[in-house]
Amino acid sequence: MLVLVTYDVSTETAEGKRRLRRVADVCEDYGQRVQRSVFECLVGEKELVMLRSRLLGEMDTEEDSVRLYFLDEAARQRTEHHGVGKPIDLEGPLVV
């Protein structure tokens, strides 16, 4: 399933800045950054459980927010992109 992960982490303190980096690192483990605090993650059920658990473990629920949007295939097909940063095909071949 395609999950759009968005987050807003308070960076007013040094700990907040560390949390921001850790939340981004978790997202990078599961998907592709499409904007500064937005990731597209193509995950299965087990990966979703791990992604959610790791995100909740890193964030401060009193100061931060994380949103998960579940996109079905129809929504995926209706997605438009304009401007810089060509979208990456998450299901295509990975060239390292």
Side-chain angles (χ1 to χ4, degrees):
M1 77 188 75
L2 181 62
V3 180
L4 190 69
V5 179
T6 68
Y7 56 86
D8 186 14
V9 176
S10 175
T11 57
E12 294 179 8
T13 65
E15 176 54 31
K17 291 175 184 174
R18 285 189 292 276
R19 281 195 320 274
L20 176 66
R21 182 70 246 152
R22 291 192 310 259
V23 167
D25 287 345
V26 168
C27 291
E28 287 174 346
D29 287 347
Y30 292 89
Q32 176 67 38
R33 184 187 299 264
V34 293
Q35 291 185 353
R36 288 188 178 95
S37 296
V38 180
F39 283 78
E40 290 179 353
C41 303
L42 191 59
V43 295
E45 292 292 331
K46 291 179 183 177
E47 291 171 309
L48 175 61
V49 170
M50 291 298 301
L51 170 61
R52 183 185 292 123
S53 175
R54 288 182 61 194
L55 286 171
L56 293 174
E58 295 296 350
M59 67 180 290
D60 179 338
T61 57
E62 299 295 318
E63 296 188 31
D64 309 330
S65 84
V66 172
R67 296 180 68 116
L68 305 175
Y69 296 90
F70 300 88
L71 304 178
D72 61 14
E73 189 58 34
R76 223 174 140 184
Q77 296 301 319
R78 290 190 312 265
T79 301
E80 293 184 16
H81 173 84
H82 306 277
V84 299
K86 181 180 176 187
I88 293 174
D89 179 3
L90 297 175
E91 294 181 301
L94 176 63
V95 179
V96 183

